[in-house]
Amino acid sequence: MTALVLHRFPLGPFPYDRWLDGLESGVVMIAARDRIEGGGERVPDGPGGYRHLEVVDTFDDEELVDRLALDLAHEYGVTHVIAHHEADLIRAAGLREKFGLPGQLPAEVLPFRDKVLMKQRLAGAGIEVAPHTVPGTAAEVRAFAAAHGLPLVFKARDGFGSIGLRIVRSEEELELRLAEDFAPGSGPREDLLLEAYVPGRMCHVDGVVAGGRTVMAWPSQYQYDLSSFQADGGARVDLTLAPDDPLTPRLLALAEGALTALGGPADYAFHAEVFHTPDDRLVVCEVAARPAGARIRDVLNAVFGVHPVELASRAHTGLPMPAIADLAGGERLAPVRMAGQVLMMRRPGTVRSVPVTPEEPWVEFYGVFAEPGEVIGRAAISSDFLAAAVLSARTRAECEVRLRALGARFETEIVID
């Protein structure tokens, strides 16, 4: 067996050579130079622990990546294709279909990538989603605004990472947006999703499905506004909900229902975002058939003692999974601790100082992604961090205290002119 991994992340946090060391013919990887260097890593001189490591400058060259993937699949007799980035799910599914390989196929990916189809499936299963439309013209946007009021949420129909997401809060902003999105003489659009604004705190449920059943899942709650990543200069805290929080079982049950409605494959990681409204409703925002971004993967690793990407990858390739071997039918892994992340976004300027490395034993991950003297730009996506840390604790309350204390340190010690 040989796995082809499409990888547009830094290499260090994803040791596929170790995670999949039971594969008879090893792992072939296509990696992105810009993501490796952007994570503060050096590009390897050779394949390291991989059977073959192909490094491209960027995955933005879609034609090059497609050609390489096809060539490597042929050359190495690939039996499994692994992709854990939203932008690569369709590409990986197409390769599986072309070569007759197991895993998620294009028709199964579509409900997770096309936000309109996603919402149709969820609503059809009785799961509440925001009122929405695909406006072809500016007039249709104005009609939707008249029916649902402001604010309105504009996003790409197949977007990810909050790229292009915009919350319009005033009539003046709306007209500016319409001038940008519906230029005179342009035809009707089909790629834009317009949603009514849902108030409340955003929660998320993350986990892994293996063998067709959910074996890992736990809810967390963002303590910040996801869409503010380009303007937020302070510490952003996100942490798990406690086992005895009344929201915990509700969110777990809702995520299970959403996955069933969307019809995911037998083995995959997932990330579901859910609004908890002031009147105590749960409204599904989106569900992705891939691991969460930011450092949520490390949070789950701290909570359960097993990395969700490792678990999902081993499930997909049919390798043994000791972490879940003793689970009875219907059982999920139980959390062993609480955890969360504290993040500082990139913002434009010259970096003058970065945080002192925290040395407390509950620091599960710490990273700074710029150096003093470096000139950096504004965050392009919601995972463009300047600094990030994952902390753990026995309880959620204790974890939050630790996260906010470190966040205060970040805000003091990071200086950007």
Side-chain angles (χ1 to χ4, degrees), residues 78-90:
V78 164
T79 58
H80 297 83
V81 179
I82 294 173
H84 288 306
H85 192 285
E86 189 87 9
D88 296 319
L89 297 181
I90 290 288

Side-chain angles (χ1 to χ4, degrees), residues 350-355 368-376 386 413 415:
T350 301
V351 179
R352 296 303 180 192
S353 66
V354 297
V368 173
F369 309 106
E371 298 177 352
E374 184 177 348
V375 179
I376 61 175
L386 178 60
E413 296 174 1
V415 177

Side-chain angles (χ1 to χ4, degrees), residues 284-302:
V284 173
C285 177
E286 296 175 9
V287 184
R290 45 81 181 167
R295 305 309 306 193
I296 297 170
R297 299 177 296 263
D298 301 286
V299 170
L300 282 188
N301 190 27

Side-chain angles (χ1 to χ4, degrees), residues 247-382:
L247 273 181
T248 295
R250 292 174 61 193
L251 285 166
L252 290 172
L254 180 62
E256 193 71 37
L259 296 178
T260 300
L262 296 175
D267 307 296
Y268 65 109
F270 66 87
H271 172 68
E273 294 180 340
V274 182
F275 295 107
H276 180 220
T277 68
D279 59 352
D280 199 33
R281 292 178 294 119
L282 295 179
V283 181
V284 173
C285 177
E286 296 175 9
V287 184
R290 45 81 181 167
R295 305 309 306 193
I296 297 170
R297 299 177 296 263
D298 301 286
V299 170
L300 282 188
N301 190 27
V303 169
F304 293 106
V306 58
H307 200 289
V309 180
E310 177 183 9
L311 186 59
S313 300
R314 292 184 70 87
H316 176 63
T317 53
L319 292 173
M321 296 174 285
I324 64 170
D326 295 330
L327 292 182
E331 284 187 338
R332 292 192 294 258
L333 289 171
V336 296
R337 61 183 65 85
M338 295 286 96
Q341 57 179 340
V342 56
L343 312 165
M344 294 290 289
M345 303 305 301
R346 296 171 72 91
R347 58 185 191 270
T350 301
V351 179
R352 296 303 180 192
S353 66
V354 297
V356 176
T357 302
E359 298 182 352
E360 293 85 350
W362 53 79
V363 179
E364 306 286 345
F365 168 86
Y366 171 74
V368 173
F369 309 106
E371 298 177 352
E374 184 177 348
V375 179
I376 61 175
R378 187 181 307 277
I381 62 176
S382 58

Side-chain angles (χ1 to χ4, degrees), residues 48-408:
Y50 296 99
R51 185 176 178 188
H52 180 85
L53 175 62
E54 189 82 31
V55 179
V56 299
D57 288 338
T58 173
F59 269 51
D60 293 339
D61 189 339
E62 301 279 350
E63 185 177 339
L64 172 62
V65 176
D66 285 342
R67 186 173 68 250
L68 275 174
L70 280 170
D71 290 346
L72 292 173
H74 278 296
E75 181 177 354
Y76 289 95
V78 164
T79 58
H80 297 83
V81 179
I82 294 173
H84 288 306
H85 192 285
E86 189 87 9
D88 296 319
L89 297 181
I90 290 288
R91 173 182 286 121
L95 286 167
R96 295 185 194 111
E97 185 172 58
K98 181 178 181 62
F99 291 98
L101 304 180
Q104 197 172 33
L105 299 178
E108 295 173 308
V109 173
L110 199 58
F112 292 94
R113 291 294 292 123
D114 182 340
K115 300 181 194 302
V116 177
L117 178 57
M118 177 190 302
K119 292 177 186 298
Q120 290 173 348
R121 292 273 188 95
L122 294 172
I127 295 172
E128 185 176 0
V129 298
H132 60 279
T133 188
V134 179
T137 65
E140 291 176 13
V141 174
R142 293 190 182 98
F144 187 85
H148 297 281
L150 298 174
L152 293 177
V153 181
F154 290 76
K155 60 177 68 172
R157 182 170 179 167
D158 63 350
F160 60 88
S162 298
I163 299 173
L165 185 147
R166 177 88 170 270
I167 299 176
V168 171
R169 302 180 184 277
S170 69
E171 293 290 346
E172 293 77 15
E173 283 184 80
L174 179 60
E175 290 305 315
L176 287 173
R177 182 76 191 197
L178 293 180
E180 292 178 11
D181 290 345
F182 300 93
S186 62
R189 298 188 61 164
E190 296 182 353
D191 61 330
L192 185 67
L193 178 63
L194 181 63
E195 296 180 354
Y197 181 80
V198 179
R201 183 77 75 181
M202 175 75 84
C203 302
H204 54 101
V205 183
D206 303 279
V208 174
V209 173
R213 64 188 181 100
T214 304
V215 295
M216 171 193 285
W218 201 257
S220 299
Q221 191 179 65
Y222 297 114
Q223 306 299 301
Y224 56 87
D225 180 0
L226 278 179
S227 65
S228 67
F229 66 92
Q230 289 188 315
D232 196 346
R236 293 158 73 90
V237 169
D238 169 38
L239 73 159
T240 49
L241 292 178
D244 60 355
D245 190 309
L247 273 181
T248 295
R250 292 174 61 193
L251 285 166
L252 290 172
L254 180 62
E256 193 71 37
L259 296 178
T260 300
L262 296 175
D267 307 296
Y268 65 109
F270 66 87
H271 172 68
E273 294 180 340
V274 182
F275 295 107
H276 180 220
T277 68
D279 59 352
D280 199 33
R281 292 178 294 119
L282 295 179
V283 181
V284 173
C285 177
E286 296 175 9
V287 184
R290 45 81 181 167
R295 305 309 306 193
I296 297 170
R297 299 177 296 263
D298 301 286
V299 170
L300 282 188
N301 190 27
V303 169
F304 293 106
V306 58
H307 200 289
V309 180
E310 177 183 9
L311 186 59
S313 300
R314 292 184 70 87
H316 176 63
T317 53
L319 292 173
M321 296 174 285
I324 64 170
D326 295 330
L327 292 182
E331 284 187 338
R332 292 192 294 258
L333 289 171
V336 296
R337 61 183 65 85
M338 295 286 96
Q341 57 179 340
V342 56
L343 312 165
M344 294 290 289
M345 303 305 301
R346 296 171 72 91
R347 58 185 191 270
T350 301
V351 179
R352 296 303 180 192
S353 66
V354 297
V356 176
T357 302
E359 298 182 352
E360 293 85 350
W362 53 79
V363 179
E364 306 286 345
F365 168 86
Y366 171 74
V368 173
F369 309 106
E371 298 177 352
E374 184 177 348
V375 179
I376 61 175
R378 187 181 307 277
I381 62 176
S382 58
S383 57
D384 274 352
F385 308 131
L386 178 60
V390 172
L391 311 182
S392 63
R394 292 179 300 104
T395 67
R396 182 188 189 278
E398 186 179 17
C399 187
E400 183 169 9
V401 169
R402 291 173 175 175
L403 288 165
R404 295 200 180 279
L406 184 55

